[in-house]
Amino acid sequence: MESPSNIVEIRRVSKCYHRGDLVVPVLTDITFDIARGEFLAIMGPSGSGKSTLLNLMAGIDRLDTGSILVDDTDITTLSETELASWRSSSVGFIFQFYNLIPVLTAFENVELPLHLTGLSKKERREHVEAALRMVSLTERMDHSPSQLSGGEQQRVAIARAIVTDPLILVADEPTGDLDRKSAADVLDLMERLNRELNKTIIMVTHDPHAAGRAHLIRHLEKGEFIP
Amino acid sequence: MAVPLSYSFRSLWARRLTTFLTASGMALVVFVFATVLMLAAGLQKTLVQTGSYRNVIVLRQGATSEVDSGIERGKAAVVETLPGIAVDQSGETVLAKEVVVLITLPKKAGGTSNVIIRGIGKRSFALRPQVKLIQGRMPRFGTPEVAVGSSLVKRFKGLTLGSTISDSVRNWRIVGIMDAGNTAFSSEIWGDAEQVMQGFRRPVYSVVIFRMRDSAALDAMKSLIEDDPRLTLQAKRETAFYLDQSEMMAKFLTILGISLTIIFSLGAVIGAMITMHSAVANRVREIGTLRALGFQRRGILMSFLAESVFLGLIGGCMGIFFASFMQLITISTVNFQSLAELAFKFTLTPSVFFKSLAFALIMGLIGGVLPAFRASRLNIVDSLRTS
Ligand SMILES: Nc1ncnc2c1ncn2[C@@H]1O[C@H](COP(=O)(O)OP(=O)(O)OP(=O)(O)O)[C@@H](O)[C@H]1O
Ligand SMILES: [Mg+2]
């Protein structure tokens, strides 16, 4: 059987938050697919549910109804433990504030997800060096995050996201904390990952420049996609 | 599969002042804990070294110490003639009939304390080769002369060569100072047994001590003495006797030490808990990140527990380090069993070392449980949102 052309299939997903007695609907009956190798940007006003949708696809949040298939795995049926190990092999995270571990060096930060694999120390080193080469930071690998600029930290974070060769990369406002130049570098890098390594990237952003780099832009408003 | 340990100890290093202060609190408790155990170990070591494996001590049946034992002259004479007792070059049995009494002497530090006067026989020194004369000469038999243990000279008033110790009946002249290393004999006064018995109006000996010809023949010697209905005496190997002597005191000290430190340790555990709690609170986003990357709840739990146990390890090492200096100090206390003053040193044995370290690690573990549990239960999305 050939692998399906859609890597993510979102089927009738709804989710609401509870504030006291109040039920706040965040996503209502969302259905859509993301093609393999896609570079998708999700835009929309603040509070429209972009991050929530991204978190659901990344398996760090739970939906109320519906189902999400990633590479034919229905992640909504996985247990907490199964979901964690699924994330470790299938999802690469790029955060707005990089979220590097401050007490670890760039190398160790990139190596972190590999501790969840069965790789030997030597194999881990090879993977980390390859990932750092990809983001052109090999010579900074012994630096701690505080010794790196924002743009460099985000590139280390991208190396960490790709080091396990995940199915999808999810990025929530990856350029939200960066100046124009660093943002452009990070976007160049993401484009390259998509083009050269055929990585599927799902990016939430407010920034039209960032969204302009994507192949496809979807707009979310009040928990629903608008055409 | 686990969060690397380097994450735990680098995080401790990153907030080293807090780490140091928290560890210091734990170190203090470990210090007290180790010191009390070292006290008990020192006491035990002193008393055990006092005994000799080849010697047998004979006491009245039911007596638990030399002071409350009594052996009539006739019975002592029977013991003297038993087979199996070692004989020296001059053909005489290596045996001493001794009497042990307590006298009260003024201490240099103020107050008074009980001291053992041991009335000795001709072979008493031969039976305890560790007892050596370091000044003056041996007390002569038939005279009220005595030799004083070196620990007593340090701690009691007026115990110098040539001076006298007065009690109601007799003046005891100090003609020698003896040293018996780290044993109970360093805290005793020795003089002629007949003189001591007259001076203190004691008609009976306290103990009979002899060396066995064959140190493995204890059971045979024991049954010879204990199975004879005329004697109503008991025989023990000297090492076992002194070990028993230290048991009650060592137990008391250990129980005292443990109850004391358990109370103190509450403070240190709460300190560790607060430190770990704020460590978790300050690293919520890091925890969320680790969870998103795929680390399991269990992994986060273990990571923070490890951090807390490291904290305990640091505190434990600090506490034991400082406690080890206590070994330079000699202290004296009243031994419950003999009621006499006894000088000994704090002794850091491997057992005390490992117990103290385990105690520190357990403190760290207990302090870390709640914060680590909280860290492992954090909601991923919420923790990633915090700044
Ligand atoms: N844990 C929560 N508890 C209650 N409400 C929440 C929670 N998380 C999100 N919400 C609400 O859900 C809605 C959607 O949130 P979400 O973070 O997905 O929005 P967003 O589109 O990413 O917004 P932004 O562009 O500001 O990041 C918002 O109204 C938000 O207040
Ligand atoms: Mg958002």
Side-chain angles (χ1 to χ4, degrees), chain B residues 27-46:
Chain B
L28 197 69
V29 180
V30 173
F31 176 83
V32 174
F33 182 78
T35 302
V36 179
L37 291 190
M38 282 164 69
L39 201 68
L43 179 83
Q44 204 132 27
K45 191 171 164 218
T46 294

Side-chain angles (χ1 to χ4, degrees), chain A residues 80-81 87 93 99 103 108, chain B residues 10 285 289 291-292 296:
Chain A
E80 183 83 24
T81 314
R87 280 196 303 272
F93 285 89
N99 288 15
V103 297
E108 290 163 336
Chain B
R10 297 243 191 104
R285 205 145 62 92
T289 306
R291 293 276 289 121
Q296 301 283 354

Side-chain angles (χ1 to χ4, degrees), chain A residues 17 51-52 55 58-61 80-82 84-85 87-89 91 93 95 97-105 108-109 112-113 115-118 160, chain B residues 1-4 6-8 10-14 283 285-298 378-387:
Chain A
Y17 280 111
S51 297
T52 305
N55 292 341
I60 54 172
D61 204 352
E80 183 83 24
T81 314
E82 289 166 339
S85 54
R87 280 196 303 272
S88 70
S89 61
V91 187
F93 285 89
F95 303 95
F97 301 105
Y98 337 125
N99 288 15
L100 298 178
I101 305 297
V103 297
L104 301 180
T105 63
E108 290 163 336
N109 266 287
L112 209 46
H115 286 287
L116 293 163
T117 65
R160 178 180 66 185
Chain B
M1 294 292 128
V3 183
S6 55
Y7 173 63
S8 302
R10 297 243 191 104
S11 297
L12 283 175
W13 178 245
R283 304 218 303 269
R285 205 145 62 92
E286 275 173 60
I287 296 163
T289 306
L290 290 170
R291 293 276 289 121
L293 293 181
F295 288 98
Q296 301 283 354
R297 283 186 169 161
R298 201 179 47 235
L378 285 174
N379 176 285
I380 303 175
V381 174
D382 291 344
S383 39
L384 286 172
R385 274 172 190 274
T386 56
S387 49

Side-chain angles (χ1 to χ4, degrees), chain A residues 50-51 172-173 204:
Chain A
K50 306 181 296 293
S51 297
D172 197 342
E173 316 259 13
V204 164

Side-chain angles (χ1 to χ4, degrees), chain B residues 231-251:
Chain B
L231 293 178
T232 61
L233 296 177
Q234 56 172 331
K236 285 183 179 179
R237 200 185 283 280
E238 209 181 30
T239 44
F241 170 76
Y242 281 104
L243 187 65
D244 289 350
Q245 290 286 292
S246 66
E247 206 135 71
M248 196 162 109
M249 189 80 175
K251 227 179 239 163

